[in-house]
Amino acid sequence: MKVKQLDEIIGTKDDVDTDTWNARRLLLRKDGMGFSMHDTLIKAGTETMIWYRNHVEAVYCIEGEGEIELATGEVYPIRPGMLYALDGHEKHYLRANTRLRMVCVFNPPLTGREVHDQDGVYPLVEDNELEARC
Ligand code: 9YT
């Protein structure tokens, strides 16, 4: 069994900060669970275009207020207790009215360094590439 504390992740390479979000990656592919789990802060007043073309993601809001808008135009408010599961690789906009704190789970698991490209996509890291990177 593994035990981790958020405090031990903050400030390390598994604490990934961008203009619009800050993902504290608690479990990654290297942990061998088959998914990754992140405690992610979405910065207040931001909008992020996201498209997990290579992953499914479940997101559970534990703090803050915001919304998710799908490419179809459907808008869902986000508040504590709201979960969304992107089981169809939906392209979306994530907006934070106040700072959002989200628990995010990805399958396949992130390896750790991923940030969105210009299309909002995280690359899929294959086994052979991972070995080359490590
Ligand atoms: C909710 C969401 O997708 N935020 C972007 C960051 C991502 N969850 C991550 O890498 O932790």
Side-chain angles (χ1 to χ4, degrees):
M1 190 182 87
K2 287 182 173 148
V3 176
K4 296 192 184 188
Q5 294 283 338
L6 180 60
D7 285 357
E8 299 164 5
I9 307 285
I10 292 172
T12 70
K13 62 181 175 20
D14 294 339
D15 177 2
V16 179
D17 195 34
T18 75
D19 287 347
T20 61
W21 52 263
N22 174 204
R24 290 85 60 90
R25 293 176 169 163
L26 292 157
L27 288 173
L28 287 162
R29 179 173 168 146
K30 63 179 189 256
D31 293 297
M33 298 291 288
F35 58 87
S36 60
M37 179 179 282
H38 318 160
D39 180 327
T40 297
L41 303 173
I42 312 296
K43 297 179 186 179
T46 64
E47 176 184 82
T48 311
M49 194 230 343
I50 301 175
W51 185 20
Y52 294 120
R53 206 166 50 190
N54 302 311
H55 300 82
V56 291
E57 184 199 27
V59 180
Y60 182 61
C61 176
I62 54 174
E63 288 175 23
E65 306 283 335
E67 66 180 25
I68 176 172
E69 179 174 347
L70 304 184
T72 53
E74 289 161 271
V75 178
Y76 299 88
I78 297 174
R79 55 179 167 263
M82 186 266 202
L83 174 139
Y84 62 86
L86 297 162
D87 58 352
H89 305 280
E90 293 90 343
K91 197 170 191 171
H92 61 282
Y93 286 95
L94 180 60
R95 302 188 185 103
N97 303 333
T98 64
R99 189 185 78 169
L100 294 167
R101 186 171 179 199
M102 323 281 258
V103 178
C104 308
V105 175
F106 281 84
N107 179 15
L110 300 197
T111 63
R113 303 291 82 75
E114 292 93 339
V115 292
H116 302 117
D117 69 12
Q118 68 281 359
D119 294 323
V121 176
Y122 280 167
L124 182 61
V125 179
E126 303 290 357
D127 279 338
N128 51 0
E129 290 176 60
L130 190 67
E131 279 157 23
R133 284 177 198 203
C134 290

